[in-house]
mmCIF file of all heavy atoms in Angstrom:
data_model
loop_
_atom_site.group_PDB
_atom_site.id
_atom_site.type_symbol
_atom_site.label_atom_id
_atom_site.label_comp_id
_atom_site.label_asym_id
_atom_site.label_seq_id
_atom_site.Cartn_x
_atom_site.Cartn_y
_atom_site.Cartn_z
ATOM 1 N N SER A 628 -4.058 -9.535 1.578
ATOM 2 C CA SER A 628 -4.869 -8.585 0.718
ATOM 3 C C SER A 628 -5.057 -9.174 -0.723
ATOM 4 O O SER A 628 -4.094 -9.581 -1.387
ATOM 5 C CB SER A 628 -4.107 -7.264 0.571
ATOM 6 O OG SER A 628 -4.763 -6.372 -0.414
ATOM 7 N N PRO A 629 -6.343 -9.280 -1.249
ATOM 8 C CA PRO A 629 -6.525 -9.820 -2.551
ATOM 9 C C PRO A 629 -5.987 -8.916 -3.592
ATOM 10 O O PRO A 629 -5.652 -9.461 -4.694
ATOM 11 C CB PRO A 629 -8.048 -9.976 -2.621
ATOM 12 C CG PRO A 629 -8.574 -8.938 -1.527
ATOM 13 C CD PRO A 629 -7.523 -8.870 -0.509
ATOM 14 N N TRP A 630 -5.640 -7.686 -3.399
ATOM 15 C CA TRP A 630 -5.165 -6.819 -4.425
ATOM 16 C C TRP A 630 -3.614 -7.100 -4.716
ATOM 17 O O TRP A 630 -3.168 -6.739 -5.740
ATOM 18 C CB TRP A 630 -5.378 -5.373 -4.017
ATOM 19 C CG TRP A 630 -6.786 -5.017 -3.937
ATOM 20 C CD1 TRP A 630 -7.518 -4.921 -2.819
ATOM 21 C CD2 TRP A 630 -7.756 -4.820 -5.052
ATOM 22 N NE1 TRP A 630 -8.877 -4.710 -3.163
ATOM 23 C CE2 TRP A 630 -8.991 -4.512 -4.573
ATOM 24 C CE3 TRP A 630 -7.480 -4.759 -6.407
ATOM 25 C CZ2 TRP A 630 -10.000 -4.261 -5.380
ATOM 26 C CZ3 TRP A 630 -8.535 -4.534 -7.221
ATOM 27 C CH2 TRP A 630 -9.793 -4.322 -6.680
ATOM 28 N N GLU A 631 -2.969 -7.521 -3.729
ATOM 29 C CA GLU A 631 -1.502 -7.854 -3.804
ATOM 30 C C GLU A 631 -1.237 -8.707 -4.910
ATOM 31 O O GLU A 631 -0.171 -8.668 -5.522
ATOM 32 C CB GLU A 631 -0.895 -8.315 -2.525
ATOM 33 C CG GLU A 631 -0.946 -7.236 -1.467
ATOM 34 C CD GLU A 631 0.000 -6.095 -1.723
ATOM 35 O OE1 GLU A 631 1.070 -6.260 -2.283
ATOM 36 O OE2 GLU A 631 -0.433 -4.950 -1.410
ATOM 37 N N GLY A 632 -2.035 -9.766 -5.352
ATOM 38 C CA GLY A 632 -1.707 -10.757 -6.317
ATOM 39 C C GLY A 632 -2.325 -10.322 -7.720
ATOM 40 O O GLY A 632 -1.977 -11.040 -8.649
ATOM 41 N N LYS A 633 -2.879 -9.192 -7.841
ATOM 42 C CA LYS A 633 -3.524 -8.835 -9.145
ATOM 43 C C LYS A 633 -2.604 -8.299 -10.180
ATOM 44 O O LYS A 633 -2.776 -8.301 -11.326
ATOM 45 C CB LYS A 633 -4.614 -7.704 -8.937
ATOM 46 C CG LYS A 633 -5.708 -8.199 -7.980
ATOM 47 C CD LYS A 633 -7.072 -8.045 -8.647
ATOM 48 C CE LYS A 633 -8.114 -8.515 -7.769
ATOM 49 N NZ LYS A 633 -9.028 -9.391 -8.420
ATOM 50 N N ASP A 634 -1.272 -7.926 -9.655
ATOM 51 C CA ASP A 634 -0.279 -7.466 -10.626
ATOM 52 C C ASP A 634 1.134 -7.980 -9.971
ATOM 53 O O ASP A 634 1.614 -7.328 -9.115
ATOM 54 C CB ASP A 634 -0.276 -5.999 -10.781
ATOM 55 C CG ASP A 634 0.831 -5.406 -11.686
ATOM 56 O OD1 ASP A 634 1.532 -6.229 -12.241
ATOM 57 O OD2 ASP A 634 1.018 -4.264 -11.774
ATOM 58 N N PRO A 635 1.611 -9.055 -10.518
ATOM 59 C CA PRO A 635 2.961 -9.587 -10.072
ATOM 60 C C PRO A 635 4.009 -8.603 -10.167
ATOM 61 O O PRO A 635 5.036 -8.583 -9.393
ATOM 62 C CB PRO A 635 3.161 -10.789 -10.802
ATOM 63 C CG PRO A 635 1.939 -11.209 -11.395
ATOM 64 C CD PRO A 635 1.050 -9.959 -11.575
ATOM 65 N N GLY A 636 3.956 -7.676 -11.177
ATOM 66 C CA GLY A 636 5.023 -6.730 -11.372
ATOM 67 C C GLY A 636 4.814 -5.320 -10.645
ATOM 68 O O GLY A 636 5.562 -4.339 -10.989
ATOM 69 N N MET A 637 3.889 -5.365 -9.810
ATOM 70 C CA MET A 637 3.521 -4.011 -9.180
ATOM 71 C C MET A 637 4.689 -3.501 -8.327
ATOM 72 O O MET A 637 5.402 -4.272 -7.677
ATOM 73 C CB MET A 637 2.324 -4.210 -8.192
ATOM 74 C CG MET A 637 1.756 -2.937 -7.468
ATOM 75 S SD MET A 637 0.224 -3.187 -6.601
ATOM 76 C CE MET A 637 0.609 -4.437 -5.485
ATOM 77 N N LYS A 638 5.045 -2.249 -8.459
ATOM 78 C CA LYS A 638 6.113 -1.544 -7.711
ATOM 79 C C LYS A 638 5.521 -0.986 -6.493
ATOM 80 O O LYS A 638 4.530 -0.371 -6.409
ATOM 81 C CB LYS A 638 6.699 -0.469 -8.555
ATOM 82 C CG LYS A 638 7.384 -0.885 -9.805
ATOM 83 C CD LYS A 638 7.848 0.316 -10.676
ATOM 84 C CE LYS A 638 8.255 -0.200 -11.975
ATOM 85 N NZ LYS A 638 8.226 0.714 -12.998
ATOM 86 N N ARG A 639 6.241 -1.394 -5.312
ATOM 87 C CA ARG A 639 5.758 -0.961 -3.986
ATOM 88 C C ARG A 639 6.847 -0.220 -3.419
ATOM 89 O O ARG A 639 8.084 -0.554 -3.439
ATOM 90 C CB ARG A 639 5.483 -2.201 -3.125
ATOM 91 C CG ARG A 639 4.393 -3.118 -3.723
ATOM 92 C CD ARG A 639 4.361 -4.441 -2.902
ATOM 93 N NE ARG A 639 3.341 -5.365 -3.369
ATOM 94 C CZ ARG A 639 3.495 -6.148 -4.493
ATOM 95 N NH1 ARG A 639 4.627 -6.112 -5.158
ATOM 96 N NH2 ARG A 639 2.532 -6.888 -4.903
ATOM 97 N N THR A 640 6.524 0.867 -2.621
ATOM 98 C CA THR A 640 7.457 1.610 -1.792
ATOM 99 C C THR A 640 6.842 1.790 -0.402
ATOM 100 O O THR A 640 5.712 2.015 -0.273
ATOM 101 C CB THR A 640 7.777 2.977 -2.465
ATOM 102 O OG1 THR A 640 6.611 3.778 -2.598
ATOM 103 C CG2 THR A 640 8.543 2.799 -3.745
ATOM 104 N N TYR A 641 7.790 1.671 0.565
ATOM 105 C CA TYR A 641 7.438 1.877 1.943
ATOM 106 C C TYR A 641 8.181 3.028 2.517
ATOM 107 O O TYR A 641 9.408 3.169 2.275
ATOM 108 C CB TYR A 641 7.683 0.622 2.767
ATOM 109 C CG TYR A 641 7.010 -0.627 2.278
ATOM 110 C CD1 TYR A 641 7.732 -1.451 1.387
ATOM 111 C CD2 TYR A 641 5.703 -0.933 2.547
ATOM 112 C CE1 TYR A 641 7.057 -2.574 0.783
ATOM 113 C CE2 TYR A 641 5.092 -2.121 2.085
ATOM 114 C CZ TYR A 641 5.814 -2.915 1.205
ATOM 115 O OH TYR A 641 5.189 -4.049 0.683
ATOM 116 N N SER A 642 7.531 3.864 3.261
ATOM 117 C CA SER A 642 8.291 4.989 3.916
ATOM 118 C C SER A 642 7.619 5.301 5.276
ATOM 119 O O SER A 642 6.626 4.667 5.629
ATOM 120 C CB SER A 642 8.262 6.216 3.003
ATOM 121 O OG SER A 642 6.916 6.632 2.708
ATOM 122 N N GLY A 643 8.130 6.315 5.983
ATOM 123 C CA GLY A 643 7.609 6.673 7.226
ATOM 124 C C GLY A 643 8.053 5.570 8.215
ATOM 125 O O GLY A 643 9.104 5.017 8.121
ATOM 126 N N THR A 644 7.250 5.380 9.267
ATOM 127 C CA THR A 644 7.568 4.455 10.289
ATOM 128 C C THR A 644 7.343 3.025 9.782
ATOM 129 O O THR A 644 6.761 2.831 8.742
ATOM 130 C CB THR A 644 6.680 4.586 11.500
ATOM 131 O OG1 THR A 644 5.286 4.410 11.096
ATOM 132 C CG2 THR A 644 6.766 5.937 12.135
ATOM 133 N N ALA A 645 7.948 1.941 10.389
ATOM 134 C CA ALA A 645 7.931 0.694 10.009
ATOM 135 C C ALA A 645 6.441 0.148 9.970
ATOM 136 O O ALA A 645 5.992 -0.704 9.124
ATOM 137 C CB ALA A 645 8.776 -0.195 10.841
ATOM 138 N N SER A 646 5.692 0.548 11.104
ATOM 139 C CA SER A 646 4.293 0.068 11.132
ATOM 140 C C SER A 646 3.588 1.151 12.100
ATOM 141 O O SER A 646 4.264 2.009 12.655
ATOM 142 C CB SER A 646 4.169 -1.322 11.679
ATOM 143 O OG SER A 646 4.705 -1.318 13.074
ATOM 144 N N GLY A 647 2.240 1.078 12.106
ATOM 145 C CA GLY A 647 1.471 2.004 12.888
ATOM 146 C C GLY A 647 1.473 3.367 12.256
ATOM 147 O O GLY A 647 1.723 3.661 11.136
ATOM 148 N N ARG A 648 1.045 4.286 13.204
ATOM 149 C CA ARG A 648 0.879 5.720 12.738
ATOM 150 C C ARG A 648 2.152 6.299 12.047
ATOM 151 O O ARG A 648 3.269 6.121 12.596
ATOM 152 C CB ARG A 648 0.588 6.593 13.934
ATOM 153 C CG ARG A 648 0.254 7.945 13.591
ATOM 154 C CD ARG A 648 -0.144 8.843 14.804
ATOM 155 N NE ARG A 648 -0.525 10.133 14.251
ATOM 156 C CZ ARG A 648 -0.901 11.085 14.962
ATOM 157 N NH1 ARG A 648 -1.064 10.907 16.232
ATOM 158 N NH2 ARG A 648 -1.216 12.239 14.426
ATOM 159 N N GLY A 649 1.908 6.800 10.924
ATOM 160 C CA GLY A 649 3.022 7.376 10.131
ATOM 161 C C GLY A 649 3.548 6.450 8.991
ATOM 162 O O GLY A 649 4.437 6.784 8.170
ATOM 163 N N ALA A 650 3.244 5.143 9.112
ATOM 164 C CA ALA A 650 3.576 4.149 8.078
ATOM 165 C C ALA A 650 2.946 4.479 6.706
ATOM 166 O O ALA A 650 1.793 4.799 6.622
ATOM 167 C CB ALA A 650 3.255 2.799 8.492
ATOM 168 N N VAL A 651 3.776 4.433 5.631
ATOM 169 C CA VAL A 651 3.290 4.835 4.278
ATOM 170 C C VAL A 651 3.572 3.661 3.347
ATOM 171 O O VAL A 651 4.680 3.126 3.337
ATOM 172 C CB VAL A 651 3.851 6.195 3.817
ATOM 173 C CG1 VAL A 651 3.433 6.475 2.298
ATOM 174 C CG2 VAL A 651 3.515 7.286 4.719
ATOM 175 N N TYR A 652 2.568 3.423 2.486
ATOM 176 C CA TYR A 652 2.651 2.372 1.449
ATOM 177 C C TYR A 652 2.238 2.996 0.190
ATOM 178 O O TYR A 652 1.091 3.510 0.050
ATOM 179 C CB TYR A 652 1.920 1.094 1.821
ATOM 180 C CG TYR A 652 1.721 0.106 0.811
ATOM 181 C CD1 TYR A 652 2.801 -0.544 0.105
ATOM 182 C CD2 TYR A 652 0.544 -0.410 0.444
ATOM 183 C CE1 TYR A 652 2.628 -1.494 -0.885
ATOM 184 C CE2 TYR A 652 0.345 -1.487 -0.454
ATOM 185 C CZ TYR A 652 1.436 -1.907 -1.131
ATOM 186 O OH TYR A 652 1.308 -2.874 -2.046
ATOM 187 N N ALA A 653 3.003 2.994 -0.886
ATOM 188 C CA ALA A 653 2.577 3.452 -2.205
ATOM 189 C C ALA A 653 2.847 2.362 -3.203
ATOM 190 O O ALA A 653 3.671 1.438 -3.045
ATOM 191 C CB ALA A 653 3.394 4.694 -2.627
ATOM 192 N N TRP A 654 1.918 2.323 -4.208
ATOM 193 C CA TRP A 654 1.983 1.308 -5.205
ATOM 194 C C TRP A 654 1.760 1.890 -6.669
ATOM 195 O O TRP A 654 1.151 2.891 -6.757
ATOM 196 C CB TRP A 654 1.058 0.148 -4.896
ATOM 197 C CG TRP A 654 -0.428 0.624 -5.234
ATOM 198 C CD1 TRP A 654 -1.103 0.409 -6.369
ATOM 199 C CD2 TRP A 654 -1.255 1.170 -4.321
ATOM 200 N NE1 TRP A 654 -2.424 0.848 -6.205
ATOM 201 C CE2 TRP A 654 -2.518 1.414 -4.917
ATOM 202 C CE3 TRP A 654 -1.188 1.686 -2.999
ATOM 203 C CZ2 TRP A 654 -3.552 1.961 -4.274
ATOM 204 C CZ3 TRP A 654 -2.221 2.290 -2.348
ATOM 205 C CH2 TRP A 654 -3.516 2.402 -3.095
ATOM 206 N N ASP A 655 2.324 1.214 -7.612
ATOM 207 C CA ASP A 655 2.212 1.604 -8.984
ATOM 208 C C ASP A 655 2.055 0.275 -9.782
ATOM 209 O O ASP A 655 3.098 -0.459 -9.831
ATOM 210 C CB ASP A 655 3.252 2.545 -9.474
ATOM 211 C CG ASP A 655 3.051 3.098 -10.755
ATOM 212 O OD1 ASP A 655 1.930 3.081 -11.341
ATOM 213 O OD2 ASP A 655 4.021 3.500 -11.463
ATOM 214 N N GLY A 656 0.989 0.078 -10.451
ATOM 215 C CA GLY A 656 0.826 -1.200 -11.142
ATOM 216 C C GLY A 656 0.036 -1.033 -12.380
ATOM 217 O O GLY A 656 -0.241 -0.024 -12.863
ATOM 218 N N ASN A 657 -0.415 -2.264 -12.849
ATOM 219 C CA ASN A 657 -1.201 -2.324 -14.158
ATOM 220 C C ASN A 657 -2.632 -1.807 -13.960
ATOM 221 O O ASN A 657 -2.898 -1.292 -12.883
ATOM 222 C CB ASN A 657 -1.144 -3.751 -14.645
ATOM 223 C CG ASN A 657 -1.829 -4.695 -13.812
ATOM 224 O OD1 ASN A 657 -2.666 -4.416 -12.931
ATOM 225 N ND2 ASN A 657 -1.530 -6.002 -13.875
ATOM 226 N N LYS A 658 -3.430 -1.943 -15.022
ATOM 227 C CA LYS A 658 -4.782 -1.471 -15.024
ATOM 228 C C LYS A 658 -5.654 -2.134 -13.851
ATOM 229 O O LYS A 658 -6.704 -1.556 -13.499
ATOM 230 C CB LYS A 658 -5.464 -1.626 -16.338
ATOM 231 C CG LYS A 658 -5.689 -3.102 -16.714
ATOM 232 C CD LYS A 658 -6.302 -3.234 -18.129
ATOM 233 C CE LYS A 658 -6.342 -4.728 -18.380
ATOM 234 N NZ LYS A 658 -7.391 -4.969 -19.342
ATOM 235 N N ASN A 659 -5.205 -3.293 -13.435
ATOM 236 C CA ASN A 659 -6.069 -3.924 -12.421
ATOM 237 C C ASN A 659 -5.877 -3.439 -10.952
ATOM 238 O O ASN A 659 -6.762 -3.414 -10.125
ATOM 239 C CB ASN A 659 -5.689 -5.400 -12.277
ATOM 240 C CG ASN A 659 -6.049 -6.179 -13.579
ATOM 241 O OD1 ASN A 659 -7.123 -5.927 -14.136
ATOM 242 N ND2 ASN A 659 -5.196 -7.015 -13.986
ATOM 243 N N VAL A 660 -4.705 -2.712 -10.783
ATOM 244 C CA VAL A 660 -4.393 -2.199 -9.398
ATOM 245 C C VAL A 660 -4.191 -0.673 -9.403
ATOM 246 O O VAL A 660 -4.344 -0.042 -8.411
ATOM 247 C CB VAL A 660 -3.265 -2.799 -8.699
ATOM 248 C CG1 VAL A 660 -3.522 -4.268 -8.491
ATOM 249 C CG2 VAL A 660 -1.952 -2.689 -9.503
ATOM 250 N N GLY A 661 -3.906 -0.115 -10.554
ATOM 251 C CA GLY A 661 -3.617 1.268 -10.631
ATOM 252 C C GLY A 661 -2.458 1.755 -9.874
ATOM 253 O O GLY A 661 -1.498 1.085 -9.595
ATOM 254 N N SER A 662 -2.564 2.981 -9.362
ATOM 255 C CA SER A 662 -1.567 3.452 -8.459
ATOM 256 C C SER A 662 -2.122 4.321 -7.375
ATOM 257 O O SER A 662 -3.280 4.795 -7.514
ATOM 258 C CB SER A 662 -0.521 4.342 -9.227
ATOM 259 O OG SER A 662 -1.148 5.527 -9.712
ATOM 260 N N GLY A 663 -1.445 4.434 -6.234
ATOM 261 C CA GLY A 663 -2.045 5.115 -5.159
ATOM 262 C C GLY A 663 -1.074 5.159 -3.884
ATOM 263 O O GLY A 663 0.081 4.717 -4.077
ATOM 264 N N ARG A 664 -1.590 5.497 -2.801
ATOM 265 C CA ARG A 664 -0.775 5.689 -1.570
ATOM 266 C C ARG A 664 -1.707 5.514 -0.350
ATOM 267 O O ARG A 664 -2.888 5.882 -0.380
ATOM 268 C CB ARG A 664 -0.255 7.015 -1.583
ATOM 269 C CG ARG A 664 0.572 7.468 -0.357
ATOM 270 C CD ARG A 664 1.033 8.845 -0.489
ATOM 271 N NE ARG A 664 2.026 9.314 0.605
ATOM 272 C CZ ARG A 664 1.673 9.697 1.690
ATOM 273 N NH1 ARG A 664 0.460 9.697 2.172
ATOM 274 N NH2 ARG A 664 2.628 9.869 2.690
ATOM 275 N N MET A 665 -1.220 4.814 0.732
ATOM 276 C CA MET A 665 -1.902 4.676 1.987
ATOM 277 C C MET A 665 -1.034 5.164 3.147
ATOM 278 O O MET A 665 0.177 4.936 3.056
ATOM 279 C CB MET A 665 -2.327 3.221 2.198
ATOM 280 C CG MET A 665 -3.243 2.635 1.236
ATOM 281 S SD MET A 665 -3.930 1.050 1.709
ATOM 282 C CE MET A 665 -2.493 -0.039 1.491
ATOM 283 N N GLU A 666 -1.611 5.788 4.085
ATOM 284 C CA GLU A 666 -0.843 6.154 5.239
ATOM 285 C C GLU A 666 -1.720 5.932 6.429
ATOM 286 O O GLU A 666 -2.932 6.212 6.548
ATOM 287 C CB GLU A 666 -0.635 7.666 5.166
ATOM 288 C CG GLU A 666 0.204 8.216 6.475
ATOM 289 C CD GLU A 666 0.617 9.664 6.366
ATOM 290 O OE1 GLU A 666 0.455 10.281 5.348
ATOM 291 O OE2 GLU A 666 1.142 10.205 7.329
ATOM 292 N N ILE A 667 -1.140 5.292 7.458
ATOM 293 C CA ILE A 667 -1.814 4.978 8.735
ATOM 294 C C ILE A 667 -1.860 6.310 9.599
ATOM 295 O O ILE A 667 -0.863 6.853 9.918
ATOM 296 C CB ILE A 667 -1.170 3.799 9.511
ATOM 297 C CG1 ILE A 667 -1.197 2.657 8.664
ATOM 298 C CG2 ILE A 667 -1.795 3.621 10.892
ATOM 299 C CD1 ILE A 667 -0.525 1.319 9.313
ATOM 300 N N LEU A 668 -3.128 6.706 9.796
ATOM 301 C CA LEU A 668 -3.226 7.863 10.476
ATOM 302 C C LEU A 668 -3.386 7.662 12.097
ATOM 303 O O LEU A 668 -3.068 8.439 12.907
ATOM 304 C CB LEU A 668 -4.527 8.639 10.111
ATOM 305 C CG LEU A 668 -4.527 9.115 8.626
ATOM 306 C CD1 LEU A 668 -5.881 9.747 8.317
ATOM 307 C CD2 LEU A 668 -3.333 10.058 8.359
ATOM 308 N N ASP A 669 -3.926 6.476 12.420
ATOM 309 C CA ASP A 669 -4.211 6.230 13.845
ATOM 310 C C ASP A 669 -4.208 4.666 13.947
ATOM 311 O O ASP A 669 -4.687 3.933 13.120
ATOM 312 C CB ASP A 669 -5.547 6.676 14.286
ATOM 313 C CG ASP A 669 -5.821 6.501 15.752
ATOM 314 O OD1 ASP A 669 -4.844 6.489 16.517
ATOM 315 O OD2 ASP A 669 -6.996 6.355 16.191
ATOM 316 N N ALA A 670 -3.561 4.160 15.045
ATOM 317 C CA ALA A 670 -3.498 2.700 15.277
ATOM 318 C C ALA A 670 -3.600 2.517 16.857
ATOM 319 O O ALA A 670 -2.689 2.997 17.590
ATOM 320 C CB ALA A 670 -2.193 2.188 14.745
ATOM 321 N N SER A 671 -4.749 2.006 17.237
ATOM 322 C CA SER A 671 -5.054 1.746 18.571
ATOM 323 C C SER A 671 -5.031 0.212 18.839
ATOM 324 O O SER A 671 -6.130 -0.433 18.608
ATOM 325 C CB SER A 671 -6.334 2.425 18.986
ATOM 326 O OG SER A 671 -6.247 3.750 18.796
ATOM 327 N N SER A 672 -3.980 -0.268 19.292
ATOM 328 C CA SER A 672 -3.886 -1.786 19.468
ATOM 329 C C SER A 672 -4.714 -2.325 20.559
ATOM 330 O O SER A 672 -4.890 -1.659 21.530
ATOM 331 C CB SER A 672 -2.373 -2.141 19.693
ATOM 332 O OG SER A 672 -2.254 -3.547 19.880
ATOM 333 N N PRO A 673 -5.510 -3.399 20.321
ATOM 334 C CA PRO A 673 -5.528 -4.242 19.117
ATOM 335 C C PRO A 673 -6.854 -3.962 18.399
ATOM 336 O O PRO A 673 -7.316 -4.935 17.704
ATOM 337 C CB PRO A 673 -5.505 -5.593 19.665
ATOM 338 C CG PRO A 673 -6.326 -5.450 21.014
ATOM 339 C CD PRO A 673 -6.004 -4.061 21.479
#
């Protein structure tokens, strides 16, 4: 992801399942990345 390198000090938290449906990723960073949250709602491999 090109966004991951925009703020070296970005705080990341992971919750929910390790991967797939229910996995959650939240971030809080500088003005280049802001803050937010993502959650996988559906994952149909592959």
Side-chain angles (χ1 to χ4, degrees):
S628 174
W630 294 102
E631 292 293 320
K633 299 232 179 231
D634 178 8
M637 182 169 60
K638 295 176 186 152
R639 298 167 181 85
T640 57
Y641 303 93
S642 59
T644 61
S646 64
R648 185 175 184 181
V651 175
Y652 170 52
W654 72 93
D655 188 19
N657 64 20
K658 64 179 180 159
N659 295 321
V660 296
S662 65
R664 180 182 186 277
M665 294 190 288
E666 179 178 354
I667 297 178
L668 301 178
D669 185 31
S671 303
S672 181

